[in-house]
Each structure stands twice: as C-alpha cells, then as structure tokens.
Amino acid sequence: MEVQASMRIPLERSGSVPLYAQIGSFLRAAIISGKLPVQTRMPSARRLAGDLGISRMTVEAAYAGLEAEGLVRREMGSGTFVMALAPSPTRSSAEVPESWPQWQQDLIASCASWHDLPVLDVSSVVGEGVIPFESGTGDTRRFPLADFRSIMRSVLQREGKEALDYGETRGYAPLRRTISEILSLHGLQAGADDVLITSGSQQGLALVAQLLLRPGDSVVVERPTYAAALALFRAMGVRIVDVPVDRDGMRVDLLETALQRYHPRLIYTIPNFQNPTGACMSTGRRRSMVALAERYDVAILEDDFVGDLRYEGRAQPPLKALDRTGGVIYVSTFSKMLMPGVRVGFVHADGPVLKLLAGLKRLTDLATSSAFQRTLHRYVSIGRYEAHLRRSRRVYATRRDSMARALERYFPSGSEFDLPCGGLFIWVRLPPRYAAPELLSRAQKAGVGFASGEEFFVERSSGDRFLRLNFAAVTPEEIERGIRSLGKVIAESN
Ligand SMILES: Cc1ncc(COP(=O)(O)O)c(C=O)c1O
C-alpha cells in the first residue's frame, strides 16, 4: 500500500519543537494507531517536503528518527516502509485503560521504540535453580564480601558523616586518584581531575549519549553489540548504523563508508572482549579507527567494561591511548572485575567534555554514593583488588576452557565459536536449522539460561542463530551439566 493523497501534517512553524520532531511524532502516532498500516510505503522525502513546504532534509531527519525507533525501514532505491510493531504487553488495551489520561496514552506511543526493554528485577537476576549462562557479570559467589563488609564498617565508624553526605559530583577525589593510577597501567596519562565517577558505566554511556546526540543524529555501533547500549540509542531517537564485528573487532574497513554516508556524531565500540562476541580489536584496527574518527570529526565512545579480565596474550592499547586530539571518551567500570552492586564506573575524557558530563551528572543523580566510593577506594588501594583480579583471571580462564570443551562435546556439529582471550562470554552460532529464541523457554524449563542473540542486533532477526553464554559466573561442574542439558534441548528441537 502506498500513501497516495498528499499528507496533511499540522505544523507549528514558529513553535519551539523542531519541525522534524513534529513530523516524527505525528507519523509515530499514525503508525502505532494503525492509521498507517504495516508495509505502507511512505511518501518520498522529496514529495512530503513539497506537500508540507519544508526542506527535504527535515523530512529525512524525521524518517531517520522513525527508522532508529524501528517504526519504518528504508530500502535503498525502493522507499520507506512501515514496519510491524513488536508485540508489546503495555500496548495491549488491558494495560492502557482508556481511563488513563491522554498524556499517558501518548507516552506509550512516543516510547514505542524502547519501552519493551526488560527492566531488571529480582526474578530475572536470581532465576531460582537455573544455571545462569545468561548472566552479564562474574561469579557472584566470588564477590569479596567479608573484606568489603569490614572495610565498610570501618568507613562508617571513622568517616560516617562524610560518607553518608552528598559527595562531590565528580566523585570522591582519593578514588579518582586511584583510578588515574589504574589508567596509567593501561598507558593512559590521566590525572584525578580527568576522571568523572559515575553510577556504573551505564550512567557514563547515558551521559555521553545525552551530551552528544540529538534526535535524528546517527551513531555507529558494532554488529552485534551490548543490548542496553542499543536500547539507550533507540530511546534517544537516533539512527543506529551497525558495522559488523569479526574476531578482530569492528570491521574498520567498512567504517569509512558508514562515516561518509551517515555523518554520525558518535562511534560506540567495545574493543576488549566485546559484549556479546568476546572479540578483541587488533591494534591495527584501533589505530585506523582513531585516525578515521579524527579525519571525519566524529567522537569515539570506548566502553572498556572487562578490559582487566585478560586470560592470555598481550594487552592492546586503549583507543584513548592512541588519541592525540581528545576525540575519544573512555568509559570503564568496577562492575565486572569486582561487583556490579557497588555501582561505580568512570569516564575519562579531555577538553571541555568532562566538565559538561559532570554538569549533566549533577542533573541526573547529584553524585554517586559516597559510602560505596570510600569503601571501594580503601579496598582497591590496599591492593586486594589486584589480588582479586589475579585470582579471577585464573578461575575464569579455567571455566572458559571447560565451556569450550563442553560445547565441542554436547552441541550439534556445525556449531561455531571462537575462544575469547578474555572477558565473560562465548558467542555460539548454531547451524542453520536452529533458532535460539525458540529454544529459550525450553532451556529454562530444563534449568539452563542463556542470552538469546537477537537482543544484540539492530535487526533482531539477524541474531536468531546465536547464543551468548557466560562461562565466568558458573562453576566447571555447572558448565558440564548445563551445556549437556542445553545440547539436549537443542538436539530435541530439531
Ligand atoms: C558492554 C557493557 N558496557 C557497560 C555495562 C554497564 O555496566 P555497569 O553500569 O554495571 O558498569 C555493561 C553491563 O552489562 C556492559 O555489558
């Protein structure tokens, strides 16, 4: 079906809402309400621009926003088409009673691209009795609880008043100094004032996105990539351009075309032990990416979420260490190397960026918990952190090898995976006749979890033969048992 008549979209030309945003929200509501049914071919940008008496660029920006939200798809040479909406429990009439105020009904429509994102709750974290291959962290049983408890007690005894007050927005200065020392071990020359402490690195990602991106902008990500970063970019209403990853990280040879075609504002990359693939970007590609970003004047957001969990081979330089112009914003976290519940991550950037990010952080949560920062600082500076890391590396490397052996033994022939040299995950591709999303509930019934591939892709269906398996959060015994059960579930599904 094609929109034949000229489209009348009421526009407030002298209002404060940009025209592309007005067009975007009108079309979004029409798509969600079904007035523009699935597969409808939208008018070309040129025609709609003519109908509305505005520039073609404005319509392009509105279409780009809708595409980023997954509401339309643009096919080169054939046009822009309305996409099927993902089924949404909150969109059902049962959950959006008509008695709700209109603004609530509108809200559902305007958040269509991301409000289905599962919110972490206790049941999804604990998953009673299920072997947690879906986990995104290290082994919760290895959290250094006793040490942390005794340090926290002494922090509260000795500096309780300060620890329970608001701290500095930029973060507890002694912890920032320690972080700058950690960064220097990675070849990064950063002073304490070049570091902003955030509530987990997720907040770092969100602050950077909020600072740099506007609806209709483009962002380059890896294909596949971290699901909550994808959701974040969708929520920002930006166009997501994905560039494939192979075992050496993002295919930087394909990046330049994307930069030329989409003029993105940001490249988001996870160079070390990527989530979900485990790939580690080669030094050559790191250099090329930094050079390209410099040439095309694009910021790089480097997410180093598990950089210290390397099991073999030499460390590659962070992109930030190759950056001579202040083009790279580096984000890391204690969540995976230590414990996610401390909610301490950090950003290192140069120039005015850090100050602007600190300003935004203040608007978001004023400051990260001072009590936790002080406790973490003591824990890290007395060297227990290094010892904890060394032990974790040893334990997790053994678990990775156990999982690789179990996969060889129990998964159907034709399954493929690379052995990652660090991190938390093995990324498995099943042979063509299998579909991971269909296996998930059966696997859970059999007592095994996994992260299904489609959540890591912009085009979700591209991921349906992939499983992300966490080897670090589970014991070798659980690995053996869990992979055997998973192999059985897969075999029986055929
Ligand atoms: C790649 C990546 N980046 C960032 C984060 C955010 O972690 P946190 O906010 O706990 O630091 C995660 C968490 O799973 C992740 O996988």
Side-chain angles (χ1 to χ4, degrees):
M1 180 179 146
E2 184 160 354
V3 178
Q4 299 293 354
S6 71
M7 229 185 221
R8 276 199 297 276
I9 302 180
L11 294 176
E12 185 80 51
R13 285 167 203 268
S14 53
S16 58
V17 181
L19 290 177
Y20 76 84
Q22 295 183 43
I23 297 169
S25 53
F26 180 90
L27 293 176
R28 186 181 300 110
I31 292 169
I32 287 164
S33 65
K35 283 186 197 132
L36 284 173
V38 180
Q39 290 304 346
T40 302
R41 182 167 175 206
M42 305 292 285
S44 70
R46 184 193 300 271
R47 199 184 109 199
L48 185 54
D51 288 350
L52 299 174
I54 56 174
S55 86
R56 203 173 118 194
M57 294 284 287
T58 306
V59 179
E60 291 281 7
Y63 280 179
L66 294 171
E67 186 184 26
E69 294 175 34
L71 294 173
V72 301
R73 109 181 155 268
R74 298 209 274 179
E75 287 177 10
M76 291 276 249
S78 42
T80 301
F81 297 87
V82 175
M83 300 252 291
L85 298 174
S88 154
T90 36
R91 224 177 270 126
S92 78
S93 54
E95 291 197 38
V96 192
E98 281 178 10
S99 59
W100 282 13
Q102 186 59 42
W103 69 263
Q104 291 237 23
Q105 317 260 356
D106 295 347
L107 198 61
I108 298 291
S110 67
C111 300
S113 63
W114 59 275
H115 74 76
D116 290 344
L117 185 73
V119 174
L120 290 180
D121 60 26
V122 175
S123 58
S124 67
V125 175
V126 182
E128 197 68 25
V130 174
I131 298 175
F133 292 140
E134 79 290 351
S135 164
T137 69
D139 189 343
T140 55
R141 292 162 291 202
R142 301 203 67 262
F143 290 169
L145 270 185
D147 283 346
F148 220 75
R149 188 168 46 225
S150 76
I151 297 174
M152 186 161 242
R153 192 179 302 126
S154 103
V155 163
L156 291 178
Q157 254 159 18
R158 291 196 212 159
E159 43 194 302
K161 264 199 279 174
E162 298 83 356
L164 295 175
D165 203 346
Y166 288 123
E168 264 191 81
T169 296
R170 288 184 305 165
Y172 180 52
L175 179 60
R176 285 193 277 119
R177 272 197 292 282
T178 306
I179 290 171
S180 77
E181 284 160 22
I182 295 176
L183 291 175
S184 73
L185 300 176
H186 298 289
L188 291 170
Q189 303 309 320
D193 287 346
D194 304 319
V195 171
L196 169 70
I197 290 177
T198 52
S199 301
S201 53
Q202 187 68 34
Q203 186 183 44
L205 304 183
L207 292 174
V208 172
Q210 209 181 331
L211 182 65
L212 296 187
L213 302 174
R214 301 288 171 268
D217 282 348
S218 298
V219 58
V220 170
V221 303
E222 286 153 349
R223 177 166 82 236
T225 191
Y226 171 44
L230 276 183
L232 168 69
F233 296 135
R234 286 193 183 111
M236 305 278 315
V238 297
R239 177 210 286 258
I240 305 172
V241 178
D242 52 355
V243 175
V245 171
D246 65 18
R247 65 171 63 187
D248 289 326
M250 188 194 281
R251 291 274 310 274
V252 175
D253 56 322
L254 302 176
L255 177 61
E256 185 159 16
T257 318
L259 298 182
Q260 286 168 344
R261 186 184 290 180
Y262 298 104
H263 310 290
R265 262 191 210 287
L266 185 67
I267 301 167
Y268 169 65
T269 178
I270 311 169
N272 290 324
F273 324 127
Q274 203 243 8
N275 182 1
T277 61
C280 187
M281 198 188 287
S282 66
T283 304
R285 288 196 189 173
R286 290 174 193 239
R287 287 189 196 289
S288 310
M289 183 184 279
V290 171
L292 277 174
E294 214 173 286
R295 184 156 1 120
Y296 288 87
D297 196 25
V298 188
I300 294 179
L301 174 53
E302 174 175 22
D303 180 351
D304 193 15
F305 79 125
V306 278
D308 276 336
L309 288 179
R310 172 177 279 282
Y311 310 131
E312 65 226 356
R314 284 200 18 228
Q316 321 273 6
L319 298 167
K320 183 74 194 140
L322 305 170
D323 162 33
R324 317 227 164 281
T325 62
V328 179
I329 303 172
Y330 176 92
V331 172
S332 186
T333 179
F334 288 98
S335 288
K336 315 295 171 171
M337 274 84 84
L338 198 54
M339 304 177 273
V342 294
R343 303 310 298 132
V344 175
F346 50 93
V347 181
H348 162 44
D350 304 298
V353 178
L354 207 69
K355 197 159 172 240
L356 292 166
L357 290 172
L360 278 180
K361 174 167 169 72
R362 177 152 187 255
L363 306 184
T364 313
D365 67 351
L366 298 180
T368 296
S369 157
S370 179
F372 272 110
Q373 288 187 67
R374 283 162 193 262
T375 308
L376 183 63
H377 163 65
R378 295 269 194 85
Y379 180 81
V380 173
S381 53
I382 52 182
R384 288 183 197 165
Y385 175 61
E386 265 301 317
H388 176 79
L389 265 183
R390 272 196 301 276
R391 276 195 304 275
S392 299
R393 286 190 201 110
R394 239 190 352 258
V395 170
Y396 295 166
T398 310
R399 293 178 179 185
R400 174 200 62 175
D401 296 342
S402 303
M403 183 173 277
R405 279 194 301 272
L407 287 169
E408 299 284 6
R409 187 149 166 216
Y410 298 119
F411 264 41
S413 71
S415 303
E416 293 168 18
F417 65 92
D418 288 324
L419 198 66
C421 41
L424 308 169
F425 311 121
I426 294 186
W427 179 241
V428 184
R429 182 157 83 162
L430 296 174
R433 57 193 180 279
Y434 300 100
E438 287 161 24
L439 298 170
L440 190 56
S441 64
R442 271 185 262 177
Q444 284 165 341
K445 276 194 207 112
V448 193
F450 65 84
S452 181
E454 79 278 10
E455 63 184 271
F456 305 98
F457 286 83
V458 178
E459 184 66 52
R460 291 173 63 85
S461 59
S462 311
D464 64 9
R465 275 168 57 203
F466 291 92
L467 283 70
R468 190 195 71 182
L469 299 171
N470 182 317
F471 53 79
V474 279
T475 63
E477 186 279 323
E478 287 171 320
I479 290 173
E480 169 70 19
R481 196 155 41 89
I483 297 296
R484 192 176 48 215
S485 304
L486 203 47
K488 200 158 162 253
V489 167
I490 297 171
E492 284 167 1
S493 74
N494 201 20

